[in-house]
Amino acid sequence: MSGDFVGLYDENTVRSGSAVVAMAIVPLLKLLSLTVIGLVLANPRKQFIPKATFKLLSKLVFALFLPCLIFTELGENITYKNFVDWLFIPVNVLVSTAIGCFLGFFVVLICRPPPELSRFVIIMTGFGNTGNLPLAIVVSVCHTRDNPFGPSCYTRGVAYVSFSQWVAVILVYTLVYHMMEPPMEYYDVVEEGDEIVEERLNDISRPLLVEAEWPGIEDKEDEHSKTPFIARIFKSISGISTTTIPDLEITAETSGNSPRSIRCLAEPRVVRRMRIVAERTPIQHILQPPTIASLLAIIIGMVPQLKAVFFGTAAPLSFLKDSLEILGGAMVPSVMLILGGMLAEGPNESKLGLRTTIGIIVARLLVLPLLGIGIVTLADKFHLLVQNDSMYIFVLLLQYSTPSAILLGAIASLRGYAVSEASALLFWQHIFALFSLSLYITIYFRLIMYV
């Protein structure tokens, strides 16, 4: 790739506009066909396939198909040199998320959603789908015989998308998890006495959205999942007492040491509360099967001796790699069928309001991709991108163009915050994404494709 990203677009080298549109639209039509099949099979009236089957399929994707795809493609393509060259991919996830959150803040200022949903609006605008949907798009694009990315389109595309997933997972299980906690005022309304009345849904009645990218989420709930933990801790700094946080002064009364010496040795109150928050962060959830597969692929791929055991025609365990590759091939059709099943449930009622819903969709699916083109162009100016690799450019641009991550719906359910709003918003975003992705993928092809 030359230093001038925009210079790639030359009227003398780009193919005809109709050919570009065809190559951009046809892959999306393939994915749309799979989604429609899933929608028909999950039709609530007919139920050719029951919801329980879709839930089982989502578990297979989460625990088997996606990890197999990540391990086989990322492990085969990554080396130590590639690891260094690809570092802008996770950096781009951070940049796109930060810009999206700023856009979400402006949506809050302009559209004025209910105050208790302000953080929800920022989260849903900022955090896009960096995993399943980009993988499906890349695989569909590369399935086209005359794709513009060359014969190694599939392996490079899947490797690039897989390399970005670990940073997105870390953000979701740390920053997003805490930002999605119920606001104090919302908690006080729901609270009755000292108890919160929760309605636990059984596995069948739980919406498919909740488990689409995090099966078994009900097993992850604890006593702090649905409470405004951070708000309570830091409100206590200003003098509001809280009975849920242990205080060091109590230790002083029960020990033989003087209270004065205990206070001298005690950490500052703000630091102590930050430590408690860190301890209550579900960092253990980061080590999910897709993340473990990414870490194993990176470690094995960067050590030539280990890589020679799994990858290559003469590798002793090449048969195992081929078996995992066969399983990974089921990931994309399964994901699109699950998406169809999710859309078949329809949108739930939402308190966001039409104006805020439209504001999030416009910011996430129309404005952010335009800013992404500028960011990627600027990065190319500073030679931060892999040279002469149009697939690398395409994956970076795609990170700005996808709707909000479906995993946010699972986090909303885990925290008991804006669950119906998340379901409704994800439904309308994915409907509108059919048109916005078609538009922007066509633009991306025009920018990066050359003869």
Side-chain angles (χ1 to χ4, degrees):
M1 189 66 62
S2 65
D4 186 5
F5 171 60
V6 180
L8 288 174
Y9 178 66
D10 187 344
E11 291 294 342
N12 297 323
T13 59
V14 175
R15 300 179 185 181
S16 65
S18 58
V20 173
V21 172
M23 281 189 289
I25 300 301
V26 169
L28 288 178
L29 291 177
K30 297 176 184 177
L31 297 180
L32 178 61
S33 300
L34 291 172
T35 305
V36 170
I37 293 174
L39 192 150
V40 171
L41 293 177
N43 186 283
R45 294 182 178 179
K46 300 294 184 181
Q47 280 201 346
F48 297 105
I49 295 181
K51 183 187 292 187
T53 303
F54 280 95
K55 290 182 180 293
L56 177 61
L57 184 59
S58 70
K59 293 181 180 181
L60 286 173
V61 169
F62 180 78
L64 184 62
F65 298 155
L66 180 58
C68 289
L69 181 64
I70 290 175
F71 179 81
T72 55
E73 301 303 332
L74 181 59
E76 186 171 10
N77 285 273
I78 197 168
T79 61
Y80 179 77
K81 181 180 182 302
N82 286 344
F83 181 85
V84 176
D85 292 340
W86 296 357
L87 281 179
F88 189 75
I89 293 177
V91 171
N92 193 58
V93 173
L94 296 175
V95 173
S96 64
T97 301
I99 296 176
C101 288
F102 276 113
L103 289 177
F105 178 73
F106 285 116
V107 171
V108 170
L109 293 179
I110 296 172
C111 299
R112 299 183 181 277
E116 68 272 13
L117 297 175
S118 296
R119 282 188 282 110
F120 171 79
V121 171
I122 295 174
I123 288 291
M124 296 299 289
T125 309
F127 289 82
N129 192 322
T130 59
N132 290 352
L133 188 57
L135 277 174
I137 293 173
V138 165
V139 171
S140 184
V141 167
C142 296
H143 191 266
T144 305
R145 181 174 300 177
D146 57 346
N147 74 81
F149 302 111
S152 59
C153 171
Y154 178 84
T155 56
R156 286 186 293 112
V158 173
Y160 292 156
V161 176
S162 301
F163 190 67
S164 68
Q165 284 195 298
W166 58 271
V167 65
V169 170
I170 291 175
L171 286 174
V172 167
Y173 291 119
T174 53
L175 178 62
V176 173
Y177 178 84
H178 287 302
M179 287 191 69
M180 290 284 275
E181 73 172 16
M184 283 291 289
E185 56 272 19
Y186 175 78
Y187 180 87
D188 291 336
V189 170
V190 178
E191 191 172 13
E192 193 171 350
D194 292 327
E195 299 180 355
I196 299 179
V197 180
E198 289 183 25
E199 182 181 356
R200 293 297 298 270
L201 301 175
N202 59 48
D203 187 60
I204 301 300
S205 61
R206 187 183 294 269
L208 182 60
L209 163 75
V210 171
E211 295 196 353
E213 289 198 11
W214 196 2
I217 186 175
E218 68 279 0
D219 299 329
K220 310 299 181 182
E221 296 179 1
D222 56 32
E223 67 273 19
H224 304 293
S225 293
K226 290 180 167 60
T227 60
F229 183 66
I230 292 183
R232 285 193 160 195
I233 286 180
F234 285 93
K235 268 196 172 185
S236 67
I237 296 176
S238 59
I240 300 176
S241 63
T242 173
T243 59
T244 61
I245 303 171
D247 210 344
L248 291 176
E249 282 76 2
I250 299 176
T251 309
E253 296 175 2
T254 58
S255 65
N257 299 326
S258 66
R260 183 185 298 272
S261 63
I262 292 294
R263 286 194 206 98
C264 292
L265 294 175
E267 58 188 335
R269 180 167 296 190
V270 174
V271 174
R272 177 161 54 89
R273 281 156 174 74
M274 293 176 65
R275 176 177 56 80
I276 294 173
V277 170
E279 291 173 353
R280 298 287 172 85
T281 300
I283 195 72
Q284 70 276 10
H285 296 337
I286 292 176
L287 293 179
Q288 300 290 344
T291 313
I292 295 173
S294 299
L295 295 176
L296 286 176
I298 291 173
I299 293 172
I300 292 175
M302 291 175 60
V303 180
Q305 294 81 2
L306 291 176
K307 190 172 186 177
V309 175
F310 290 91
F311 303 100
T313 54
L317 297 181
S318 61
F319 68 92
L320 178 60
K321 178 258 182 184
D322 292 341
S323 300
L324 298 179
E325 192 171 15
I326 293 172
L327 289 171
M331 182 266 174
V332 171
S334 300
V335 164
M336 301 315 296
L337 290 175
I338 294 169
L339 178 60
M342 186 189 81
L343 296 178
E345 295 180 345
N348 290 345
E349 295 183 3
S350 173
K351 297 179 182 178
L352 275 178
L354 181 61
R355 183 170 59 178
T356 304
T357 301
I358 294 175
I360 295 174
I361 292 175
V362 170
R364 176 77 224 173
L365 298 179
L366 292 181
V367 178
L368 186 59
L370 287 176
L371 298 177
I373 293 175
I375 295 296
V376 176
T377 302
L378 187 63
D380 190 70
K381 294 282 188 182
F382 286 97
H383 304 285
L384 298 176
L385 311 183
V386 175
Q387 301 297 303
N388 301 314
D389 192 341
S390 53
M391 174 55 76
Y392 189 88
I393 297 286
F394 180 70
V395 170
L396 292 178
L397 292 171
L398 205 57
Q399 290 175 347
Y400 292 89
S401 312
T402 56
S404 300
I406 297 177
L407 183 57
L408 299 181
I411 297 294
S413 176
L414 181 67
R415 302 310 314 259
Y417 172 53
V419 180
S420 60
E421 285 75 17
S423 176
L425 186 57
L426 286 170
F427 176 88
W428 293 117
Q429 278 199 54
H430 281 80
I431 294 295
F432 189 80
L434 297 174
F435 306 98
S436 64
L437 281 172
S438 301
L439 170 65
Y440 277 107
I441 290 179
T442 302
I443 294 174
Y444 298 158
F445 274 30
R446 285 181 175 273
L447 288 173
I448 66 179
M449 191 179 68
Y450 56 96
V451 179

